[in-house]
Every structure is written in C-alpha cells, then in structure tokens.
C-alpha cells in the first residue's frame, strides 16, 4: 500500500463517486449552520419541495448578528433580528437542532462545534463560513462553502468537489515564552502569502504544533484560509482525544472506544507525498503584528512599517501604498510606536478560554491606557464565558477598565453593533484586516490575545516578550 | 441555475490584487435574507463616497469618480478584468450574487480564491484564469475601452482586433454552466450510491450515526 497523507485518508473515506474528469461526490458528516449564509439555502429547499437528507447531521447557532450587550432586550436592529429569527424558524420547520441566542451553549459556530464534541476526528465538516477550516485541528476535513452548497448538503448530504493538493507546513523547535499559536499562524501566512495555500489542503506538523493545546491548534487551522487554503489539518493524538472525552455530542461507552481506536490512523504515513513542503523554525518567530489590509502584510513587533519604494513589483508596490494610505501609517515607523484606539479580544480565532486566560494574565493589576477608548472582551461561547467567570477572569478585565460581553462574532466583522468608527485603529485578535472589516474606515492590526491585552494597557503595541 | 454560453461585452479593468469579498460586498448587506438585490451595493465602499447601509436608495448617493465602474467608458461593462487572488476572504455567496445582480457575467484574473471561484459557477458567472502576461496585455487594451467576446463552448476570448485567447475549464463545470443545470438534481440522480455509501459507513463508523443527539 502506498503511503498516504492525512488528507488522502479522509478524502478516500468519504468518496461516494469519482468522475472521470477528476470531480468527485463526497459525503459530508457534519454541517454547521449560522444565520447569515443559510436563509437562502432553506428558501431553496422550500421552493423545490426538498427535505434535509439527514437532519441530525446539522447543527445551527446564530452568531454573526447577535448583540454582545444585554440580551433581554432582544436585537434592536430590525434587519439583524429578522435574520436571527429566520434561522430559528427554519430550524424549527426543518427539524434541525439549534442553540438559540438565549441558550448557554450559543456562541461562535467554530467555538461551539468543538466545545460540544460535534466536531470529531475523521469527519468531513462544512459550514457557510470560510473559517470552518478551524475544525481541521481535530483531524477532520473541514472547509467553508457558499450558500448554494449549504442547500446542496442539506438536500443530498454530499458535495461535488475536486481534490486539493497536499501541502505540509512543519513548525519545528521551541517557541520563545509569550509566543502563541496566533504568532505561529501569522508568521506562516507571512511566509506563504495570502494565496500561497490556494488549491491546497495544508497539514500543520512539527514539534510546535504537537505541543499546542487544542485551542492553539484551532487558532492555527482557523487561519489556514488566510493563506488561501480552504482546509487546514492536524493529526489526531492524545491531546485531541483528551479534549473530546465526555463532550455532549462525542460518542460514549463502547462506541467511544471503537471511535478512538479508529482515529489512530488519522495521521500522514511516513513517506507520504506532499506537493509542497515548508519548514519554519520556531526560534525565528517573534510576536507578530499586521500593518496592512491583508493578513500577509505582517511583521515581527521589532519591525518597521515597510516602504513601498523598496518593492520592485508594480502591483505589489501599489498594494503597499494603498494599504499604508488606508491604515494611516508612514514608512519606517517602528510598530511599537503605533498607538491604538480600540482593542478587541474574541472571535473564532481567539475567543476560547486559553485566549482569555492569556489576555487576563497580561491585564491583571494594570489599567486600560487613557488613549484606548474601548477594550472589548467577547467570549467565544456562553460556556467559555461561564468558565472564565468561574476563574474570575471577568473581574480582572472589568477592574482594568475592559468591557466584558456576551458571546458572538462581534467586532471581528462588525455585523452587530460592535464596530470601529472611520479612522479608528484597533488591536484585534480576529483573523482579517481587510478594508472596512471591523467597521467602515476602521483600521485593524491582527495580533495574539496577549499582544492585544498589552496594547490595551500600554496604549500602543509592545513586545510581549520584553514585559 | 443561469446558463452561460457566449457574450460580447465591455471589459472593466479593476487593477488591484487580492480583492476580498468584504470589498466586493460589505458585511452590513449580508443581513438580507433574500438572494437578489445586492447589485446596487457591489463594491460599496469603493463605488460611493458615503457609507452604505442596507435598504438605502443608491440613486442619489455620491459616486466615487475614480472607481472604474463609475466611469462612462465602463458603465456597460459585463466582464471584469482583475489581478491575483480575486475573491479571497469569506465564503459569502453574496459576492457573486452582487456581481451577477450588477450584470457581471465573466471575470478574468491570473488566479481566484477557491471558495469564490466555486461560488461563481453556482450563479452563472464564468471565472477565467489566464497567465499574468496575458492579463497584463488585456489590461493595456481594456484601459481605453474594449469589448471582448467570450465563448464558453469554444473556450476562447476574442478581442476586437482579432486576437483569440484560449482558456481552460474543467469539463463538468463547463457542462453544468453551459446548460444551467441544477446541481442538486444532478446529485440526487446518484441517490442509490449515496445510500449505499451511508450503509457502508454506518457499519464501519457507527459513532457518526448516533440514534439520538443532544437537544
């Protein structure tokens, strides 16, 4: 038998039908659903008189539009409210399990799924959201799809796909203290570029990845899409199995034992062929800060804002200049001199308990800087919030002048009321620094939770390793 | 699904790399539960000088004269010419919905983001990948106002001065787009195979088919 990659194995396990032209029908084990990319899919089902193929394969939660302030009052924006109510109605009509806004289990879909054990190794998982790559941390093939495909999966439990190529990104060595999974993935994106992974499934390997917690692994896979790869993958090991033990949707008893035994093959075989390989030394990674309007526009905290005139390629030079104009930055400025107006800690990238602990450790005993108007902490789910409150993290944040909010996507993409005003600069633990992403005219710098917390208490970016 | 066979139309040069789906259709418009009506908000932050909100009447909004689709030469453009990695970012199908609603039927670029590329075919939009040099040459032509003829059956782009540029597309996508086929109906023709797969899988990995799930 030829050696296979982890991706090859999961792909083969889900092949329903292979066509001569290279396209294939693959079976989908789990579909996660949220309010933004599903209404037209349910409407499509209704118009064609179709029913969900397997209702129990779907799990829904509202997250993008939900308010992070007091929920008793409901959603004040009528358009947002209608979208969330439409999800409630569609789930009721089609018999799909939903954790509604008032449910303690509600949260960002990519935090909720793993937390519930609805994400399991070896599964194929889709969601109408590009950050579905997150679930690859569990050795599951997980990727974002459009609304037409959401409808397709609802109706057929399958998708027509072409197999991607295999890429391995190995991160070997030992991270400096204070460095996190976020710095690792930002450094990887800086190396690959925002389209470097296009057409690939990236498997992340190496000692640094193996030593990460599941939360850290999710942060890494979450941003595979920011390097262009629809799916990221990490092999299953004891860390994966321990995380899933006794989760509500995880199998129990004899089924659990059978599943764990089957998951043992969910790694790439020795000698498996990768179409592309990249190795990164952990010792070379410094705390990362993005300076531009694409996640690939990233530098170590010791760096300076780049000079477009140093770029030979005309399209790239124009891109750098446009990014600096939008971001209001001058070439040569040390990143540690860049002051921030707002700080956002949360999202499907960094809204998990470990992220909040890392941020709270920096904040403890300090105060939000006077130039920072708002430091927002938005837990990834109701259960993360509950856990953080048990540990007293909410008090640490509140006493430092941070706001402690209800769970949701919040200012990662500013579909709810949490947003930047034009020209405001934000240290954000989210995943995208595109123009307008956090609010019209808003300026986003992507960083780790510890770096965001440090920026909040110092008023500008600081090197977390020197605190 | 809408079919695509052959069009002759003006091409608009949008000279930026890495155009993301937040730029194509900003998030505030994603609150709609409809599939239509996104065209007026296509490239909202670049196209208008004010801040757009859903439901806004766009006829009196101040236009950004610098933006290519606002220039009279490109007002009737149905083909978009752009740079690397077009459509990167989120999976929102609202991006091709907005392009289609605006009237864009084909996009030419050196590369596309995977999810966006896939979403185009679901909406009758033909994304065409050409090498960077050919794209450069088309940019030179397009700047002064140029019509292209795109023929999906022949897999060619013809310029007004008689140049014919071939392009690649996989056979099944081409077939579906040419005939505007319903993907779900096609997949359901394989119902028996899907059921057989499910039965095999259920016995090999029964934990994936639990009798009850938490509510």
């Amino acid at each position: 038998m030829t050696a296979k990659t982890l991706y090859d194995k999961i792909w083969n396990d889900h092949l329903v039908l292979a066509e001569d032209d290279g396209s294939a029908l693959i079976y989908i084990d789990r579909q996660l659903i949220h309010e933004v990319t599903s209404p037209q899919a349910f409407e499509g089902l209704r118009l064609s008189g179709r029913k969900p193929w397997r209702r129990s394969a779907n799990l829904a939660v509202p997250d993008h539009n939900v308010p992070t302030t007091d929920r008793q009052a409901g959603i004040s924006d009528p358009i947002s409210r209608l979208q969330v109510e439409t999800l409630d109605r569609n789930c009721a009509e089609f018999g799909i399990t939903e954790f509604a806004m008032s449910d303690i289990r509600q949260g960002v879909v990519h935090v909720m799924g793993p937390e519930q054990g609805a994400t399991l190794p070896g599964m194929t998982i889709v969601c109408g959201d590009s950050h579905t790559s997150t679930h690859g941390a569990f050795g599951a093939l997980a990727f974002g799809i459009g609304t037409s495909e959401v409808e397709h999966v609802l109706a057929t439990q399958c998708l027509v796909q072409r197999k991607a190529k295999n890429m391995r990104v190995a991160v070997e060595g030992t991270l400096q203290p204070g460095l996190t999974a976020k710095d690792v993935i930002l450094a990887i994106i800086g190396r690959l570029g925002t389209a470097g992974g296009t057409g690939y499934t990236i498997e992340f390997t190496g000692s640094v990845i193996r030593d990460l917690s599941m939360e850290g692994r999710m942060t890494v896979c979450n941003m595979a899409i920011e390097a262009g790869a629809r799916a990221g993958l990490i092999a299953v090991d004891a860390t994966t199995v321990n995380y899933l033990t006794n989760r509500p949707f995880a199998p129990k008893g004899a089924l659990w034992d059978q599943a764990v035994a089957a998951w043992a093959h969910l790694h790439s075989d020795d000698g498996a062929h990768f179409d592309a390989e990249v190795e990164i030394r952990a010792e070379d990674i410094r705390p990362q800060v993005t300076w531009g309007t694409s996640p690939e526009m990233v530098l170590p905290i010791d760096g300076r804002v780049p000079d477009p005139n140093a770029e030979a390629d005309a399209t790239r030079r124009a891109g750098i200049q446009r990014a600096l104009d939008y971001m209001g930055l001058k070439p040569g400025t040390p990143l540690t001199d860049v002051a921030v107006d707002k700080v956002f800690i949360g999202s499907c990238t960094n809204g998990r308990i470990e992220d909040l602990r890392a941020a709270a450790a920096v904040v403890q005993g300090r105060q939000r800087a006077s130039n920072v108007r708002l430091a927002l902490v938005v837990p990834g789910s109701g259960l993360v919030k509950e856990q953080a409150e048990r540990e007293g993290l909410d008090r640490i944040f509140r006493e430092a002048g941070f706001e402690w909010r209800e769970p949701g996507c919040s200012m990662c993409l500013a579909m709810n009321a949490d947003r930047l005003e034009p020209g405001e600069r934000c240290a954000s633990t989210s995943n995208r620094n595109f123009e307008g992403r956090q609010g019209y005219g808003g300026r986003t710098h992507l960083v780790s939770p510890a770096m965001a917390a440090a920026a909040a208490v110092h008023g500008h970016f600081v090197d977390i390793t020197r605190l | 699904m809408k079919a695509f066979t052959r069009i002759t139309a003006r091409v608009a040069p949008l000279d930026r790399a890495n155009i993301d789906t937040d730029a194509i259709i900003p998030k505030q418009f994603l609150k709609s539960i409809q599939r239509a009506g996104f065209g007026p908000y296509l490239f909202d932050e670049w196209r208008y000088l004010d801040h757009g909100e859903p439901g806004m009447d766009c006829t009196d909004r101040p236009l950004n004269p610098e933006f290519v689709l606002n220039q009279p030469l490109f007002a009737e453009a149905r083909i978009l010419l752009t740079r690397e990695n077009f459509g990167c970012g989120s999976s929102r199908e609202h991006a091709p919905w907005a392009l289609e609603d605006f009237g864009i039927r084909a996009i030419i670029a050196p590369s596309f983001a995977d999810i966006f590329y896939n979403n185009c075919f679901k909406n009758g939009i033909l994304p065409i990948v050409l090498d960077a040099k050919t794209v450069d040459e088309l940019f030179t032509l397009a700047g002064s106002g140029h019509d292209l003829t795109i023929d999906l059956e022949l897999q060619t782009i013809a310029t007004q001065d008689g140049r014919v540029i071939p392009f690649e597309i996989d056979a099944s996508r081409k077939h579906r787009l040419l005939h505007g086929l319903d993907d779900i109906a096609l997949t359901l023709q394989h119902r028996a195979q899907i059921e057989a797969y499910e039965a095999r899988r259920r016995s090999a990995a029964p934990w994936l088919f639990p009798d009850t799930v938490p509510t």
Side-chain angles (χ1 to χ4, degrees), chain A residues 13 21 27 40 50 53 77 83 105 129 147-149 152 162 199 413 415 432 435-437 440, chain B residues 16 20 22 27 30-31 34-35 46 51 89-91 93 114 118-119 170 172 182 187 197-198 215:
Chain A
D13 279 348
D21 74 340
Y27 190 81
Q40 299 88 349
R50 292 179 176 129
W53 180 280
D77 176 354
Q83 198 165 53
R105 299 168 294 182
D129 190 287
T147 298
S148 294
E149 291 187 320
H152 195 283
R162 301 179 74 84
L413 87 167
M415 272 189 81
R432 289 194 174 128
E435 289 182 22
R437 172 79 179 181
Y440 180 67
Chain B
R16 292 193 186 197
D20 59 74
D22 278 81
K27 87 283 297 201
L30 273 51
K31 295 176 188 178
Q34 310 293 323
R35 209 175 177 119
W46 295 348
H51 174 51
S90 100
S91 68
E93 199 162 315
D114 284 337
N118 202 40
N119 282 342
D170 76 60
S172 73
D182 174 356
T187 295
Y197 170 88
E198 259 182 348
T215 51

Side-chain angles (χ1 to χ4, degrees), chain A residues 6-274:
Chain A
L6 174 53
Y7 173 55
D8 296 338
K9 292 178 184 180
I10 304 175
W11 176 271
N12 291 344
D13 279 348
H14 290 84
L15 205 54
V16 174
L17 201 69
E19 301 282 1
D20 293 339
D21 74 340
S23 67
L25 196 62
I26 65 163
Y27 190 81
I28 302 302
D29 294 311
R30 172 76 68 206
Q31 173 154 249
L32 300 167
I33 293 172
H34 65 84
E35 79 277 19
V36 179
T37 55
S38 67
Q40 299 88 349
F42 285 112
E43 184 64 11
L45 283 190
R46 259 191 298 272
L47 290 172
S48 55
R50 292 179 176 129
K51 294 267 178 291
W53 180 280
R54 188 155 75 89
R55 286 179 310 178
S56 62
N58 300 281
L59 181 58
V61 68
D63 57 0
H64 285 60
N65 276 283
V66 299
T68 58
T69 47
D70 180 22
R71 297 233 168 122
Q72 301 302 318
I75 304 175
S76 60
D77 176 354
I79 314 177
S80 287
R81 187 170 64 236
L82 177 62
Q83 198 165 53
V84 171
E85 288 170 356
T86 301
L87 179 68
D88 297 344
R89 265 201 306 278
N90 283 329
C91 288
E93 177 183 338
F94 289 99
I96 287 168
T97 303
E98 182 203 10
F99 298 156
M101 199 170 81
S102 56
D103 194 308
I104 183 76
R105 299 168 294 182
Q106 180 269 339
V108 184
V109 64
H110 309 306
V111 176
M112 178 280 290
E115 188 174 75
Q116 290 298 316
T119 298
L120 293 175
M123 274 184 162
T124 43
I125 301 176
V126 295
C127 174
D129 190 287
S130 59
H131 292 112
T132 306
S133 59
T134 309
H135 309 266
F138 291 81
L141 177 59
F143 51 91
I145 56 177
T147 298
S148 294
E149 291 187 320
V150 172
E151 182 183 344
H152 195 283
V153 174
L154 278 167
T156 71
Q157 213 53 50
C158 290
L159 270 182
V160 179
Q161 291 286 299
R162 301 179 74 84
K163 196 175 173 211
K165 290 179 285 184
N166 280 289
M167 182 188 289
R168 175 158 60 192
V169 175
V171 191
E172 301 283 2
T174 309
L175 286 176
Q176 297 170 48
L179 279 135
T180 67
K182 185 65 164 288
D183 302 296
V184 171
I185 188 61
L186 283 172
I188 291 171
I189 294 162
R191 169 83 77 87
L192 292 178
T194 182
T198 302
Y200 289 94
T201 290
I202 301 179
E203 182 177 345
F204 299 97
T205 68
S207 57
V208 169
I209 302 296
R210 280 193 297 276
D211 289 346
L212 288 175
S213 65
M214 285 318 295
E215 283 85 350
R217 293 178 188 184
M218 284 189 259
T219 301
V220 169
C221 287
N222 173 273
M223 291 189 74
I225 185 65
E226 310 313 332
R230 286 180 83 170
L233 278 174
I234 293 175
V236 175
D237 63 9
T239 305
T240 325
V241 173
N242 290 339
Y243 177 96
L244 288 168
T245 308
N246 292 323
R247 300 265 167 189
F249 281 68
K252 308 287 183 312
L255 267 187
W256 169 257
D257 296 337
Q258 192 184 352
V260 171
W263 296 339
H265 89 292
L266 292 173
H267 57 80
S268 289
D269 297 330
D270 289 341
H273 173 73
F274 287 87

Side-chain angles (χ1 to χ4, degrees), chain A residues 289-291 300-305 327-341 371 425 445 451 455 458-463:
Chain A
V289 184
T290 64
W291 54 267
I301 182 66
D302 334 73
R304 289 166 182 268
V305 174
M327 294 296 289
L329 291 173
K330 289 201 176 58
T333 309
L335 290 174
T336 47
D337 284 359
V338 176
V340 301
D341 305 303
N371 62 304
R425 188 179 300 286
H445 296 268
M451 285 286 285
H458 291 272
H460 57 87
F461 292 109
V462 293
D463 182 349

Side-chain angles (χ1 to χ4, degrees), chain B residues 116-134:
Chain B
F116 176 83
Y117 182 80
N118 202 40
N119 282 342
C120 281
F121 288 97
K122 313 288 182 189
N123 294 284
I125 297 175
L126 173 61
I128 299 175
V129 177
L130 295 179
D131 64 87
K133 182 168 164 286
T134 309

